[in-house]
Amino acid sequence: GLEEKIRIIDSVFNVEAPTEDDPWGIIYPELKSLEKGIFVIADKWLIFNLAQRLGISDAANNLDLGSGRGDVVFTLALFGGRVTGVEYDLKLALLSEQLKAKLQGRGVDTQRVEFIKGDFLEIDFSKFDFIFYHMNGTYEPGQQELAQKVLRELTEGAKFVIFHIPGTPYSK
């Protein structure tokens, strides 16, 4: 089932991008200095439970803001909808594409997954049913602009999901 697919995603991530055991970037030092913000790993099980409670279906068009290596994107893809991840940092954008390639053919549908290297403030939010944002407290200068964009572009019935896990060891 879906739980087994999350285990597959975890196993691929742990082999290809072992940052869970390396929060300070000793093995993977390039994640310590990013173009914008910091790299924080989203909890796939938290996202899985959120997606179930929100009733995300195969008809949903989902967006992950600051998608990093794709934890949220690949977890949401398990529910069958289209998922777009937007990541500003080139290193993370390339890593997410590499992980997508590694997940192909391993029981995880990557056909409906798309990654965009760019600024999520330039994406049209009106095209999405669910927008996920892992608010880690480092994007303070853009919080007001993001809030205004959500109010302007979120369509009726769409959901903007903000999640945050305080005290994460993955911040600088």
Side-chain angles (χ1 to χ4, degrees):
L2 295 179
E3 290 89 358
E4 180 56 32
K5 291 183 180 184
I6 288 192
R7 287 184 189 89
I8 292 169
I9 293 169
D10 269 339
S11 71
V12 169
F13 276 46
N14 289 337
V15 169
E16 301 298 329
T19 52
E20 275 95 348
D21 296 329
D22 182 35
W24 305 110
I26 296 163
I27 297 168
Y28 214 69
E30 55 267 33
L31 294 183
K32 284 186 76 172
S33 59
L34 302 176
E35 296 172 54
K36 190 184 273 192
I38 63 168
F39 173 61
V40 179
I41 296 170
D43 182 325
K44 290 180 227 37
W45 291 103
L46 171 68
I47 300 306
F48 177 81
N49 288 317
L50 276 173
Q52 281 186 318
R53 289 181 183 210
L54 290 167
I56 291 180
S57 69
D58 61 355
N61 194 13
N62 307 290
L63 176 66
D64 181 27
L65 307 178
S67 57
R69 57 184 199 167
D71 295 73
V72 172
V73 172
F74 294 116
T75 303
L76 293 176
L78 297 177
F79 292 85
R82 178 139 189 79
V83 189
T84 302
V86 182
E87 176 54 54
Y88 189 85
D89 187 81
L90 179 60
K91 296 168 200 165
L92 287 169
L94 292 172
L95 178 59
S96 62
E97 287 291 350
Q98 291 168 3
L99 291 167
K100 179 181 175 181
K102 296 284 184 182
L103 285 168
Q104 288 174 350
R106 300 209 45 198
V108 178
D109 183 7
T110 58
Q111 297 296 328
R112 296 175 139 204
V113 168
E114 174 188 13
F115 289 103
I116 297 172
K117 195 286 185 205
D119 187 338
F120 58 67
L121 292 173
E122 296 175 10
I123 300 295
D124 180 2
F125 287 2
S126 70
K127 299 176 183 177
F128 298 94
D129 303 305
F130 293 94
I131 300 172
F132 287 78
Y133 179 54
H134 189 175
M135 189 173 85
N136 56 37
T138 62
Y139 189 59
E140 296 298 329
Q143 294 295 333
Q144 283 295 344
E145 189 177 353
L146 176 59
Q148 292 302 315
K149 182 173 180 60
V150 168
L151 292 173
R152 227 180 18 255
E153 296 181 12
L154 202 65
T155 59
E156 188 172 332
K159 307 267 189 292
F160 185 73
V161 181
I162 299 173
F163 59 100
H164 172 67
I165 304 169
T168 176
Y170 304 108
S171 57
K172 288 183 192 173

